[in-house]
Amino acid sequence: MTVYRFPKDFFWGSASSGPQTEGRFNNDGKGDNIWDYWYRQEPDKFFNQVGPDKASYGYIHYKEDIQLMKKTGHNSFRTSIQWSRLIPDGVGSINQKAVAFYNDFIDELIANGIEPFINLYHFDMPVALQEEGGWLSRKTIDAYVYFAQTCFQLFGDRVKYWFTHNEPIVPAEGGYLYQFHYPNEQNLKHAVQVAFNEALASARAIEKYHQTQDGKIGIILNVTPTYPRDKNNPEDVKAASIADAFFNRSFLDPAIKGQFPKDLVTIIKELDMIPHHTAADLEVISKNTIDFLGVNYYQPRRVQAKEKAIGKTANQPMPEDYFDYYDMPGKKMNPYRGWEIYEKGIYDIMITIRDDYGNIPCFISENGMGVEGEERYVNKDGQIEDDYRIEFIKGHLRYLHQAIEEGANCLGYHLWTFMDNWSWTNAYKNRYGLIAVNLDKQGERTIKKSGYFFKELSKYNGFED
Ligand code: BGP
């Protein structure tokens, strides 16, 4: 029997986001964000045509939800403040109903012994700002800093853990390369500008935070460890390093080291795609790095050297001009999401943060398994027996524990996610929650087997097997 015990005061909980859980109800004063807008334009893009309007009814059920968090062992919980709920047009007047809602939510968490972790931007650009160019525009950076300051002023007396962005690479790649976020373009130059502007916006918010507040502020990055097909083949290794520069170090380096990776800058220069910026911007980025890092980990990236010489794809350069993906035989898959499950990846990330990023304090801010058709696993008492999710969590925690034993500065583990929620264009296809949500019954909640497991995990600060 092996005992996996985690450090004292380890954060156990889960992550979610405002746009994926809250929904939108009469007279709540929320404005449109790009998801509300895109769904109205193209409902067919969303699984079973389910949009963000009701999400998981979190706006209605949040008090009950916080009791369920307690029942599932949460000592901490992350969500985001919806920009378009708080400031319906992105800039300008503040929605007082949103202030009351978030105040109550935060107070209720604290009253129940759950530390609030609050993120500012989770893919939810207000439409009024998207019409001005979204993250391509400096106006959005200014508006974002105003939004951030407003949140710090309103809630900073009680919220001590803040995040500037969740996975900022995703709006860049989803919106401007691979077309799974609005505005659905394929334009590397735009993707680079969006990424730069997000990094700058983050640094400017951090600057404001440190001037006025006394808690901690960080960023949440989806760190996807990149493995070469053959680690003894220099061409594969080089390809993996370029992929890592595009998708991991592009945000890790400015957030933690205050600088963009040199190899990536060289490539972007060769492509003549250096984003618009000033010397002052670079100084802000270099001086305002994060206090701690949230790591989202779902899957590895496997890469091989390009079969054909570096080719400029059609008219549009793409990151994949520099590497090919490697389809490793025998890999373990989550067939519903189409993502490889590789538990050791979590260990490798922690060791990279320890060795290459000064062992900055960090925590696992998302890790989880989305499964389709979970109603197959309902037992006679109406509970979903999601043993696969329990195994998934344990498999990752064993490796996380090993990394901590070897000195990684990891302070907690948050599962994605608390209750089944709305997954962007996948809507409710894959369910991730510790709690099942029945959309046919106004979002009725039922704890899954994994929810009871999580309670024990938190209570014993680990597990044995
Ligand atoms: C992360 C996002 C979450 C969440 C999760 C699961 O990238 O931060 O918002 O959605 O992935 O992925 P998906 O919803 O695409 O299945």
Side-chain angles (χ1 to χ4, degrees):
M1 173 109 64
T2 312
V3 179
Y4 299 92
R5 196 73 67 221
F6 285 79
K8 195 170 164 291
D9 299 328
F10 206 64
F11 289 117
W12 293 107
S14 63
S16 72
S17 76
Q20 293 176 272
T21 53
E22 289 170 13
R24 193 171 183 180
F25 299 91
N26 280 346
N27 299 319
D28 65 11
K30 188 181 123 37
D32 276 346
N33 65 31
I34 50 175
W35 297 96
D36 302 310
Y37 175 80
W38 196 19
Y39 177 64
R40 273 205 308 275
Q41 302 302 310
E42 297 186 90
D44 287 342
K45 287 231 185 285
F46 295 78
F47 185 77
N48 282 348
Q49 295 203 339
V50 174
D53 51 336
K54 295 287 175 286
S56 299
Y57 297 80
Y59 191 77
I60 309 286
H61 292 305
Y62 66 97
K63 289 203 185 197
E64 175 194 345
D65 290 344
I66 290 169
Q67 291 312 310
L68 288 167
M69 286 175 205
K70 262 177 100 170
K71 285 197 178 138
T72 49
H74 285 60
N75 61 21
S76 47
F77 174 68
R78 190 238 308 184
T79 189
S80 70
I81 291 176
Q82 284 202 73
W83 189 347
S84 60
R85 181 180 296 288
L86 189 67
I87 310 175
D89 295 325
V91 280
S93 63
I94 291 172
N95 171 13
Q96 292 305 327
K97 286 183 182 154
V99 176
F101 170 70
Y102 289 119
N103 266 331
D104 207 33
F105 196 110
I106 289 164
D107 290 345
E108 192 80 11
L109 284 172
I110 293 171
N112 284 283
I114 300 169
E115 185 78 48
F117 284 32
I118 299 292
N119 175 40
L120 293 171
Y121 190 78
H122 202 124
F123 311 162
D124 53 338
M125 180 63 63
V127 161
L129 291 172
Q130 188 64 44
E131 282 168 358
E132 306 257 358
W135 282 120
L136 282 171
S137 157
R138 289 192 79 100
K139 275 191 191 165
T140 298
I141 304 179
D142 293 339
Y144 169 86
V145 175
Y146 168 73
F147 164 55
Q149 276 182 290
T150 306
C151 291
F152 302 152
Q153 275 158 15
L154 287 167
F155 313 115
D157 56 333
R158 286 151 292 151
V159 175
K160 297 299 167 196
Y161 295 91
W162 289 92
F163 300 91
T164 57
H165 294 275
N166 175 79
E167 302 187 348
I169 191 85
V170 171
E173 65 177 5
Y176 298 88
L177 287 178
Y178 308 115
Q179 299 166 304
F180 57 91
H181 277 207
Y182 193 78
N184 231 3
E185 292 183 8
Q186 191 188 324
N187 183 331
L188 182 59
K189 194 173 166 61
H190 279 181
V192 171
Q193 185 73 58
V194 163
F196 178 84
N197 287 355
E198 288 180 292
L200 176 59
S202 175
R204 284 187 50 194
I206 292 170
E207 181 178 37
K208 294 287 178 214
Y209 186 77
H210 284 150
Q211 282 164 1
T212 55
Q213 307 280 327
D214 61 357
K216 304 242 176 266
I217 187 158
I219 195 166
I220 290 163
L221 300 179
N222 45 327
V223 185
T224 306
T226 309
Y227 300 100
R229 168 182 51 185
D230 175 358
K231 62 180 185 325
N232 298 314
N233 174 346
E235 294 304 311
D236 284 350
V237 171
K238 188 172 165 210
S241 170
I242 294 178
D244 185 54
F246 268 107
F247 297 108
N248 292 326
R249 289 184 280 119
S250 50
F251 280 100
L252 276 170
D253 282 24
I256 301 171
K257 300 179 176 173
Q259 284 183 345
F260 291 94
K262 289 204 169 56
D263 51 350
L264 182 62
V265 173
T266 303
I267 291 174
I268 301 297
K269 237 185 216 155
E270 279 167 10
L271 291 168
D272 197 18
M273 289 186 181
I274 291 289
H276 295 293
H277 69 282
T278 65
D281 295 341
L282 298 182
E283 189 163 329
V284 171
I285 291 171
S286 80
K287 286 196 173 141
N288 297 285
T289 53
I290 55 169
D291 301 325
F292 73 129
L293 175 72
V295 171
N296 292 356
Y297 175 61
Y298 289 92
Q299 56 168 341
R301 175 181 282 107
R302 300 197 184 271
V303 161
Q304 62 187 30
K306 271 206 96 60
E307 301 267 298
K308 294 190 196 123
I310 293 182
K312 304 279 168 275
T313 30
N315 303 320
Q316 267 305 332
M318 290 291 278
E320 289 76 7
D321 292 338
Y322 299 88
F323 59 85
D324 282 343
Y325 285 104
Y326 170 51
D327 189 8
M328 187 178 81
K331 63 189 174 189
K332 180 157 75 169
M333 291 295 291
N334 169 355
Y336 313 102
R337 190 61 180 84
W339 285 347
E340 181 182 345
I341 298 176
Y342 182 63
E343 295 90 342
K344 181 172 174 286
I346 207 164
Y347 168 87
D348 292 336
I349 298 170
M350 288 295 120
I351 298 304
T352 301
I353 304 296
R354 184 193 71 184
D355 295 348
D356 297 349
Y357 292 96
N359 212 11
I360 187 167
C362 65
F363 76 111
I364 299 301
S365 42
E366 285 183 29
N367 175 231
M369 188 180 181
V371 172
E372 193 169 354
E374 284 199 311
E375 54 287 348
R376 277 172 296 167
Y377 303 109
V378 175
N379 67 19
K380 61 178 179 9
D381 301 320
Q383 183 197 75
I384 291 175
E385 295 193 348
D386 53 346
D387 293 276
Y388 42 87
R389 181 164 293 109
I390 297 171
E391 279 317 305
F392 180 97
I393 297 170
K394 282 184 176 174
H396 286 82
L397 285 177
R398 287 186 198 106
Y399 277 108
L400 186 62
H401 187 266
Q402 186 185 337
I404 294 171
E405 297 260 281
E406 293 175 23
N409 197 1
C410 178
L411 309 179
Y413 177 88
H414 279 183
L415 185 77
W416 185 269
T417 175
F418 162 62
M419 62 177 160
D420 295 341
N421 68 26
W422 186 77
S423 276
W424 318 110
T425 55
N426 272 336
Y428 281 87
K429 175 179 173 290
N430 304 314
R431 307 292 181 110
Y432 284 86
L434 296 171
I435 316 270
V437 170
N438 186 339
L439 295 173
D440 297 332
K441 295 189 179 168
Q442 302 279 303
E444 183 186 84
R445 278 87 163 118
T446 316
I447 302 180
K448 301 179 193 173
K449 188 173 176 186
S450 59
Y452 295 103
F453 160 77
F454 210 84
K455 166 91 184 164
E456 295 299 297
L457 182 64
S458 162
K459 186 166 158 197
Y460 294 106
N461 201 26
F463 64 102
E464 298 175 353
D465 68 2

